[in-house]
Amino acid sequence: DIQMTQSPSTLSASVGDRVTITCRASQGIGSWLAWYQHKPGEAPKLLIYQASTLESDVPSRFSGSGSATEFTLTINSLQPDDFATYFCQQYHSQPDTFGQGTKLDIK
Amino acid sequence: QVQLQESGPGLVKPSETLSLTCSVSGVYLSSYYWTWIRQPPGKGLEYIGYIYYTGSTKYNPSLKSRVSMSVDTSKNQFSLTVNSVTAADTAVYYCARRRLNYYDDSGYYYYFDYWGQGTLVTVSS
């Protein structure tokens, strides 16, 4: 199985900050990577697919980049609603695998 | 608006069978693949497998011997069964829809566009 290593595991930031989360794959996955946002008690929400394509209705302050084994999720100008857990998913090879998640909390 | 909702017992005894149902609203099951994913406490997400609306399935090899999925298009629901459960099966279980991103000679590439909020299943006597 492809291992997805996500960092950092926790991140403290303030409203207005720019933050970056990284996901590394144990082997090349092309651009077959998605990012999700998850808040406690809610359904995970798709943010980005194919490494950099923003899902409809997702604010443009979210962006994704990368290919092969290294990927980043960037959130510009953090808003109060953005404090949540973020995780990546590779869908290059079955079984799909996920990063361990990054909890973004308020500094 | 597409919504998924997991339901089922929150407590299952060791060696027994875990059964969950995902009720889908806002879209018919037809023409989509439907997935189960779980997250043990303090651990990462684990992909369990998927079922097509026709009933064809593919499971994660790590769980394949104990997992079964079914679909009921008349109720717009799909289900998960895990046999011979142990404490290691304690987790929040999510259902999700797979969306096709792209396909070519190399394969088909899907991500998950809609998820349920998850349901905690505890395995304990």
Side-chain angles (χ1 to χ4, degrees), chain A residues 1 31-32 34 36 38 41-46 49-50 55-56 87-100, chain B residues 37 39 42-47 50 58 60-62 94 98-99 101-102 104 108-118:
Chain A
D1 297 359
S31 296
W32 307 121
Y36 302 86
H38 190 199
E42 297 185 9
K45 176 185 177 182
L46 171 68
Y49 60 92
Q50 205 168 342
E55 173 71 342
S56 58
F87 61 90
C88 61
Q89 172 226 346
Q90 70 80 20
Y91 53 101
H92 175 273
S93 303
Q94 286 279 304
D96 297 28
T97 48
F98 301 86
Q100 291 287 100
Chain B
I37 297 158
Q39 185 168 29
K43 297 187 177 181
L45 291 153
E46 180 181 30
Y47 174 79
Y50 68 72
K58 186 169 184 179
N60 188 329
S62 67
Y94 298 94
R98 298 177 93 211
R99 183 198 292 176
N101 187 171
Y102 179 77
D104 60 16
Y108 289 72
Y109 304 96
Y110 294 85
Y111 51 88
F112 307 116
D113 61 349
Y114 292 101
W115 297 60
Q117 63 187 33

Side-chain angles (χ1 to χ4, degrees), chain A residues 18-95:
Chain A
R18 178 177 187 248
V19 298
T20 299
I21 299 168
T22 298
C23 220
R24 290 186 173 87
S26 59
Q27 63 189 75
I29 60 171
S31 296
W32 307 121
L33 183 108
W35 290 98
Y36 302 86
Q37 177 192 67
H38 190 199
K39 297 178 181 179
E42 297 185 9
K45 176 185 177 182
L46 171 68
L47 298 175
I48 288 167
Y49 60 92
Q50 205 168 342
S52 61
T53 303
L54 207 63
E55 173 71 342
S56 58
D57 295 333
V58 173
S60 59
R61 62 180 180 273
F62 291 91
S63 64
S65 64
S67 66
T69 61
E70 186 149 341
F71 302 85
T72 59
L73 171 69
T74 299
I75 312 172
N76 287 301
S77 187
L78 273 172
Q79 298 301 300
D81 191 49
D82 298 339
F83 292 96
T85 296
Y86 295 85
F87 61 90
C88 61
Q89 172 226 346
Q90 70 80 20
Y91 53 101
H92 175 273
S93 303
Q94 286 279 304

Side-chain angles (χ1 to χ4, degrees), chain B residues 58-78:
Chain B
K58 186 169 184 179
Y59 306 133
N60 188 329
S62 67
L63 293 163
K64 186 177 181 179
S65 63
R66 298 191 297 122
V67 165
S68 174
M69 296 181 187
S70 61
V71 64
D72 187 338
T73 54
S74 68
K75 294 181 179 179
N76 224 40
Q77 296 175 336
F78 61 103

Side-chain angles (χ1 to χ4, degrees), chain B residues 31-52:
Chain B
S31 302
Y32 291 102
Y33 288 87
W34 303 91
T35 304
W36 289 97
I37 297 158
R38 70 181 185 180
Q39 185 168 29
K43 297 187 177 181
L45 291 153
E46 180 181 30
Y47 174 79
I48 300 172
Y50 68 72
I51 185 165
Y52 194 42

